[in-house]
Coordinates of all heavy atoms in Angstrom, one line a residue:
R1 N 107.2 109.0 122.5 CA 108.6 108.8 122.3 C 109.2 109.9 121.4 O 108.6 110.4 120.5 CB 108.9 107.5 121.6 CG 108.5 106.3 122.4 CD 108.9 105.1 121.6 NE 108.4 103.9 122.3 CZ 108.5 102.7 121.8 NH1 109.1 102.5 120.7 NH2 108.0 101.7 122.5
P2 N 110.5 110.2 121.7 CA 111.2 111.2 120.8 C 111.2 110.7 119.4 O 111.5 109.5 119.1 CB 112.6 111.3 121.4 CG 112.4 110.8 122.8 CD 111.3 109.8 122.8
G3 N 110.8 111.5 118.5 CA 110.8 111.2 117.0 C 109.6 110.4 116.6 O 109.5 110.1 115.4
G4 N 108.7 110.1 117.5 CA 107.5 109.3 117.2 C 106.4 110.3 116.7 O 106.5 111.5 116.7
G5 N 105.3 109.7 116.3 CA 104.1 110.4 115.9 C 102.9 109.8 116.5 O 102.9 108.7 116.9
L6 N 101.9 110.7 116.6 CA 100.6 110.2 117.2 C 99.5 110.8 116.4 O 99.5 112.0 116.1 CB 100.5 110.6 118.6 CG 99.2 110.2 119.3 CD1 99.0 108.7 119.4 CD2 99.2 110.8 120.7
S7 N 98.5 110.0 116.0 CA 97.3 110.5 115.3 C 96.1 110.1 116.2 O 95.8 109.0 116.3 CB 97.2 109.9 113.9 OG 96.0 110.3 113.3
A8 N 95.5 111.1 116.8 CA 94.3 110.8 117.6 C 93.1 110.5 116.7 O 93.0 111.0 115.6 CB 93.9 112.1 118.4
P9 N 92.2 109.6 117.2 CA 91.1 109.2 116.3 C 90.2 110.3 115.9 O 89.6 110.2 114.8 CB 90.3 108.2 117.3 CG 91.3 107.7 118.3 CD 92.3 108.9 118.4
D10 N 90.1 111.4 116.7 CA 89.3 112.5 116.3 C 90.0 113.6 115.6 O 89.5 114.7 115.3 CB 88.6 113.0 117.5 CG 89.5 113.6 118.6 OD1 90.7 113.3 118.5 OD2 89.1 114.3 119.5
A11 N 91.3 113.3 115.2 CA 92.1 114.4 114.5 C 91.5 114.7 113.2 O 91.0 113.8 112.4 CB 93.5 113.9 114.3
R12 N 91.4 115.9 112.9 CA 90.9 116.4 111.6 C 92.0 116.3 110.5 O 93.1 116.5 110.8 CB 90.3 117.8 111.7 CG 89.3 117.9 112.7 CD 88.0 117.4 112.2 NE 87.0 117.5 113.2 CZ 86.0 116.6 113.4 NH1 85.9 115.6 112.6 NH2 85.1 116.8 114.3
T13 N 91.6 116.1 109.3 CA 92.5 116.1 108.2 C 91.9 116.8 107.0 O 90.7 117.0 106.9 CB 92.8 114.6 107.8 OG1 93.7 114.6 106.7 CG2 91.5 113.8 107.4
S14 N 92.8 117.3 106.2 CA 92.4 118.1 105.0 C 92.2 117.1 103.8 O 91.9 117.6 102.7 CB 93.4 119.2 104.7 OG 94.7 118.6 104.4
V15 N 92.4 115.9 104.0 CA 92.3 114.9 103.0 C 90.8 114.7 102.6 O 90.0 114.5 103.5 CB 92.9 113.5 103.4 CG1 92.6 112.5 102.4 CG2 94.4 113.7 103.6
V16 N 90.5 114.8 101.3 CA 89.1 114.6 100.9 C 89.1 113.1 100.4 O 89.8 112.8 99.5 CB 88.8 115.5 99.7 CG1 87.4 115.2 99.2 CG2 88.8 117.0 100.2
L17 N 88.2 112.3 101.0 CA 88.2 110.9 100.7 C 87.0 110.6 99.8 O 85.9 111.2 99.8 CB 88.0 110.1 102.0 CG 89.2 110.3 103.0 CD1 88.8 109.6 104.3 CD2 90.4 109.7 102.4
P18 N 87.2 109.6 98.9 CA 86.1 109.2 98.0 C 85.0 108.5 98.7 O 83.9 108.5 98.2 CB 86.8 108.3 97.0 CG 88.0 107.8 97.7 CD 88.4 108.9 98.6
D19 N 85.2 108.0 99.9 CA 84.2 107.3 100.7 C 84.6 107.5 102.1 O 85.8 107.2 102.5 CB 84.2 105.9 100.3 CG 83.1 105.1 101.0 OD1 82.9 105.2 102.2 OD2 82.4 104.3 100.3
K20 N 83.7 107.9 103.0 CA 84.1 108.2 104.4 C 84.6 107.0 105.1 O 85.3 107.1 106.1 CB 82.9 108.8 105.1 CG 81.7 107.9 105.3 CD 80.6 108.7 106.1 CE 79.5 107.7 106.3 NZ 78.4 108.4 107.1
R21 N 84.3 105.8 104.6 CA 84.7 104.5 105.2 C 86.2 104.3 104.9 O 86.8 103.3 105.4 CB 83.9 103.4 104.7 CG 82.4 103.5 105.1 CD 81.6 102.4 104.5 NE 81.6 102.6 103.0 CZ 81.0 101.8 102.2 NH1 80.3 100.7 102.6 NH2 80.9 102.1 100.9
S22 N 86.8 105.2 104.1 CA 88.2 105.0 103.7 C 89.2 105.6 104.6 O 90.4 105.7 104.3 CB 88.4 105.6 102.3 OG 87.5 105.0 101.4
M23 N 88.8 106.2 105.7 CA 89.7 106.9 106.6 C 90.9 106.0 107.0 O 92.0 106.5 107.1 CB 89.0 107.4 107.9 CG 89.9 108.2 108.8 SD 90.8 109.5 108.1 CE 89.6 110.8 108.0
N24 N 90.7 104.8 107.4 CA 91.8 103.9 107.8 C 92.8 103.7 106.7 O 94.0 103.7 106.9 CB 91.3 102.6 108.3 CG 90.7 102.7 109.7 OD1 90.9 103.7 110.4 ND2 89.8 101.8 110.0
M25 N 92.3 103.6 105.4 CA 93.2 103.5 104.3 C 94.0 104.7 104.1 O 95.2 104.7 103.8 CB 92.4 103.1 103.1 CG 93.3 102.5 102.0 SD 94.2 101.1 102.4 CE 92.9 99.9 102.6
A26 N 93.4 105.9 104.3 CA 94.2 107.2 104.2 C 95.2 107.2 105.3 O 96.4 107.6 105.1 CB 93.2 108.3 104.3
R27 N 94.9 106.8 106.5 CA 95.8 106.8 107.6 C 97.0 105.8 107.3 O 98.1 106.0 107.6 CB 95.2 106.4 108.9 CG 94.3 107.5 109.4 CD 93.8 107.3 110.8 NE 93.1 108.5 111.3 CZ 92.1 108.4 112.2 NH1 91.7 107.3 112.7 NH2 91.6 109.6 112.6
L28 N 96.6 104.7 106.6 CA 97.7 103.8 106.2 C 98.6 104.4 105.2 O 99.8 104.2 105.2 CB 97.1 102.5 105.6 CG 98.0 101.4 105.2 CD1 98.8 100.9 106.4 CD2 97.3 100.3 104.5
G29 N 98.1 105.3 104.4 CA 98.9 106.0 103.4 C 99.9 106.9 104.1 O 101.1 107.0 103.8
V30 N 99.4 107.6 105.2 CA 100.3 108.4 106.0 C 101.4 107.6 106.6 O 102.6 107.9 106.6 CB 99.5 109.2 107.0 CG1 100.4 110.0 108.0 CG2 98.5 110.2 106.4
L31 N 101.0 106.5 107.3 CA 101.9 105.6 108.0 C 102.9 105.0 107.0 O 104.1 104.8 107.3 CB 101.1 104.5 108.7 CG 101.9 103.4 109.3 CD1 102.8 103.9 110.5 CD2 101.0 102.3 109.8
G32 N 102.4 104.6 105.8 CA 103.2 104.0 104.8 C 104.5 104.8 104.4 O 105.5 104.2 103.9
R33 N 104.4 106.1 104.5 CA 105.5 106.9 104.2 C 106.7 106.7 105.1 O 107.8 107.0 104.8 CB 105.1 108.4 104.2 CG 104.2 108.8 103.1 CD 103.8 110.2 103.3 NE 105.0 111.0 103.2 CZ 105.2 112.0 102.4 NH1 104.3 112.3 101.5 NH2 106.3 112.7 102.4
H34 N 106.4 106.2 106.3 CA 107.4 106.0 107.3 C 107.9 104.5 107.4 O 108.7 104.2 108.3 CB 106.9 106.5 108.7 CG 106.4 107.9 108.6 ND1 107.3 109.0 108.6 CD2 105.2 108.4 108.5 CE1 106.6 110.1 108.5 NE2 105.3 109.8 108.4
L35 N 107.4 103.7 106.6 CA 107.8 102.3 106.6 C 108.6 101.9 105.4 O 108.4 102.5 104.3 CB 106.6 101.4 106.8 CG 105.8 101.6 108.0 CD1 104.5 100.8 108.0 CD2 106.6 101.2 109.3
P36 N 109.5 100.9 105.5 CA 110.4 100.6 104.4 C 109.9 99.8 103.3 O 110.5 98.8 102.8 CB 111.6 99.9 105.1 CG 110.9 99.1 106.2 CD 109.8 100.1 106.7
F37 N 108.7 100.1 102.8 CA 108.1 99.4 101.7 C 107.8 100.4 100.5 O 107.3 101.5 100.8 CB 106.8 98.7 102.1 CG 106.9 97.8 103.3 CD1 106.5 98.2 104.5 CD2 107.6 96.6 103.1 CE1 106.7 97.3 105.6 CE2 107.7 95.7 104.2 CZ 107.3 96.1 105.5
P38 N 108.0 100.0 99.3 CA 107.7 100.9 98.2 C 106.2 101.1 98.0 O 105.4 100.2 98.3 CB 108.4 100.3 97.0 CG 108.5 98.8 97.3 CD 108.6 98.8 98.8
E39 N 105.8 102.2 97.5 CA 104.4 102.5 97.3 C 103.8 101.4 96.4 O 102.6 101.1 96.6 CB 104.3 103.9 96.6 CG 102.8 104.3 96.4 CD 102.7 105.7 95.9 OE1 103.7 106.3 95.6 OE2 101.6 106.2 95.8
E40 N 104.5 100.9 95.4 CA 103.9 99.9 94.5 C 103.5 98.6 95.3 O 102.6 98.0 95.0 CB 104.9 99.5 93.4 CG 105.3 100.7 92.5 CD 106.4 101.6 93.1 OE1 107.1 101.2 94.0 OE2 106.3 102.8 92.7
A41 N 104.3 98.3 96.4 CA 104.0 97.1 97.2 C 102.7 97.3 97.9 O 101.9 96.4 98.1 CB 105.1 96.8 98.1
W42 N 102.5 98.6 98.5 CA 101.3 98.9 99.2 C 100.1 98.7 98.3 O 99.1 98.1 98.6 CB 101.3 100.3 99.8 CG 102.2 100.5 100.9 CD1 103.4 101.1 100.9 CD2 102.0 100.0 102.3 NE1 104.0 101.1 102.2 CE2 103.1 100.4 103.0 CE3 101.0 99.3 102.9 CZ2 103.3 100.2 104.4 CZ3 101.1 99.1 104.3 CH2 102.2 99.5 105.0
I43 N 100.2 99.3 97.1 CA 99.1 99.3 96.1 C 98.8 97.9 95.7 O 97.6 97.5 95.6 CB 99.4 100.3 95.0 CG1 99.4 101.7 95.5 CG2 98.4 100.1 93.8 CD1 99.8 102.8 94.5
A44 N 99.8 97.1 95.4 CA 99.5 95.7 95.0 C 98.8 95.0 96.1 O 97.9 94.2 95.9 CB 100.9 95.0 94.7
A45 N 99.2 95.2 97.4 CA 98.6 94.5 98.5 C 97.1 95.0 98.7 O 96.2 94.1 98.9 CB 99.3 94.8 99.8
I46 N 96.8 96.3 98.5 CA 95.5 96.8 98.5 C 94.6 96.1 97.4 O 93.5 95.6 97.7 CB 95.4 98.3 98.4 CG1 96.1 98.9 99.7 CG2 94.0 98.8 98.3 CD1 96.4 100.4 99.5
R47 N 95.1 96.1 96.2 CA 94.4 95.5 95.1 C 94.1 94.0 95.3 O 93.1 93.5 94.8 CB 95.2 95.8 93.8 CG 95.2 97.2 93.4 CD 95.7 97.4 91.9 NE 95.9 98.8 91.6 CZ 94.9 99.6 91.3 NH1 93.7 99.3 91.3 NH2 95.2 100.9 91.0
A48 N 95.0 93.3 96.0 CA 94.9 91.9 96.2 C 93.8 91.6 97.2 O 93.2 90.5 97.2 CB 96.2 91.3 96.7
Q49 N 93.4 92.6 98.0 CA 92.5 92.3 99.1 C 91.0 92.8 98.8 O 90.1 92.4 99.6 CB 92.9 93.0 100.4 CG 94.2 92.5 100.9 CD 94.2 91.0 101.2 OE1 93.2 90.6 101.9 NE2 95.1 90.3 100.7
F50 N 90.8 93.5 97.7 CA 89.5 94.1 97.5 C 89.0 93.8 96.1 O 89.8 93.5 95.2 CB 89.5 95.6 97.7 CG 89.8 96.1 99.1 CD1 91.1 96.4 99.5 CD2 88.8 96.1 100.0 CE1 91.4 96.8 100.8 CE2 89.1 96.5 101.3 CZ 90.3 96.8 101.7
T51 N 87.7 93.9 95.9 CA 87.2 93.8 94.5 C 87.7 95.0 93.7 O 88.3 96.0 94.3 CB 85.6 93.9 94.5 OG1 85.3 95.2 95.0 CG2 85.0 92.8 95.4
E52 N 87.6 95.0 92.4 CA 88.1 96.0 91.6 C 87.6 97.4 92.0 O 88.4 98.4 92.1 CB 87.8 95.7 90.1 CG 88.5 96.7 89.1 CD 88.2 96.3 87.7 OE1 88.0 95.1 87.4 OE2 88.3 97.2 86.9
K53 N 86.3 97.5 92.2 CA 85.7 98.8 92.5 C 86.2 99.3 93.9 O 86.6 100.4 94.1 CB 84.2 98.7 92.5 CG 83.5 100.0 92.9 CD 82.0 99.9 92.8 CE 81.3 101.2 93.2 NZ 79.9 101.1 93.3
A54 N 86.2 98.4 94.9 CA 86.6 98.7 96.2 C 88.1 99.0 96.3 O 88.5 99.9 97.0 CB 86.3 97.6 97.2
A55 N 88.9 98.3 95.5 CA 90.3 98.6 95.4 C 90.6 100.0 94.9 O 91.4 100.7 95.4 CB 91.0 97.5 94.5
A56 N 89.8 100.4 93.8 CA 90.0 101.7 93.3 C 89.8 102.8 94.3 O 90.6 103.8 94.5 CB 89.1 101.9 92.1
T57 N 88.7 102.6 95.1 CA 88.4 103.6 96.2 C 89.5 103.6 97.2 O 89.9 104.7 97.7 CB 87.0 103.2 96.8 OG1 86.0 103.3 95.8 CG2 86.7 104.2 97.9
N58 N 89.9 102.4 97.6 CA 91.0 102.3 98.7 C 92.3 102.8 98.2 O 93.1 103.4 99.0 CB 91.0 100.9 99.2 CG 89.9 100.7 100.2 OD1 89.8 101.2 101.3 ND2 88.9 99.8 99.7
V59 N 92.7 102.5 97.0 CA 94.0 103.0 96.4 C 93.9 104.6 96.4 O 94.9 105.2 96.7 CB 94.3 102.5 95.0 CG1 95.4 103.2 94.4 CG2 94.6 101.0 95.2
A60 N 92.8 105.2 96.0 CA 92.7 106.6 96.0 C 92.8 107.2 97.4 O 93.5 108.2 97.6 CB 91.3 107.0 95.4
A61 N 92.2 106.5 98.4 CA 92.3 107.0 99.8 C 93.7 106.9 100.3 O 94.2 107.8 100.9 CB 91.3 106.2 100.7
F62 N 94.4 105.8 100.0 CA 95.8 105.5 100.3 C 96.6 106.7 99.7 O 97.5 107.2 100.4 CB 96.2 104.2 99.9 CG 97.7 103.9 100.1 CD1 98.1 103.4 101.4 CD2 98.6 104.1 99.1 CE1 99.4 103.1 101.6 CE2 100.0 103.8 99.4 CZ 100.4 103.3 100.6
A63 N 96.4 106.9 98.5 CA 97.3 108.0 97.8 C 97.0 109.3 98.4 O 98.0 110.1 98.6 CB 96.9 108.0 96.3
S64 N 95.8 109.6 98.8 CA 95.5 110.9 99.4 C 96.2 111.0 100.7 O 96.8 112.1 101.0 CB 94.0 111.1 99.6 OG 93.3 111.2 98.4
G65 N 96.1 110.0 101.5 CA 96.8 110.0 102.8 C 98.3 110.1 102.6 O 99.0 110.8 103.4
R66 N 98.9 109.4 101.7 CA 100.3 109.4 101.4 C 100.7 110.8 101.0 O 101.8 111.3 101.5 CB 100.6 108.4 100.3 CG 102.1 108.1 100.2 CD 102.3 106.8 99.4 NE 103.7 106.6 99.2 CZ 104.5 105.9 100.0 NH1 104.0 105.3 101.0 NH2 105.7 105.7 99.7
A67 N 99.9 111.5 100.2 CA 100.3 112.9 99.7 C 100.2 113.9 100.9 O 100.9 114.8 100.9 CB 99.3 113.3 98.6
A68 N 99.2 113.6 101.8 CA 99.0 114.5 102.9 C 100.0 114.3 104.0 O 100.3 115.2 104.8 CB 97.6 114.4 103.4
G69 N 100.5 113.1 104.1 CA 101.3 112.7 105.3 C 102.7 113.1 105.2 O 103.5 113.2 106.1

């Protein structure tokens, strides 16, 4: 669609992730820049879903994707 975006599953990224399993969270960070929710809401939702250690890894991946996107 005009104005839309597409990210292929095999697309390479320059984002360095703390854990390779965090790719989807990094992609969510990229996507989150285009949705009408503040960054704080995303981070709160991530922290609510994971243990403290896993949340830290996922928040870092989200922030990396957001910065790259």
Side-chain angles (χ1 to χ4, degrees):
R1 291 184 189 177
L6 177 64
S7 176
D10 61 346
R12 301 285 179 212
T13 179
S14 62
V15 174
V16 177
L17 299 173
D19 185 314
K20 67 180 182 178
R21 297 174 292 179
S22 304
M23 180 54 79
N24 285 339
M25 196 57 67
R27 287 185 174 155
L28 184 62
V30 172
L31 175 65
R33 292 178 56 123
H34 303 284
L35 296 174
F37 304 105
E39 184 175 5
E40 299 79 25
W42 288 107
I43 292 172
I46 293 166
R47 290 191 189 284
Q49 296 302 312
F50 295 97
T51 64
E52 187 176 335
K53 182 179 177 185
T57 299
N58 282 290
V59 167
F62 176 83
S64 293
R66 195 164 174 89

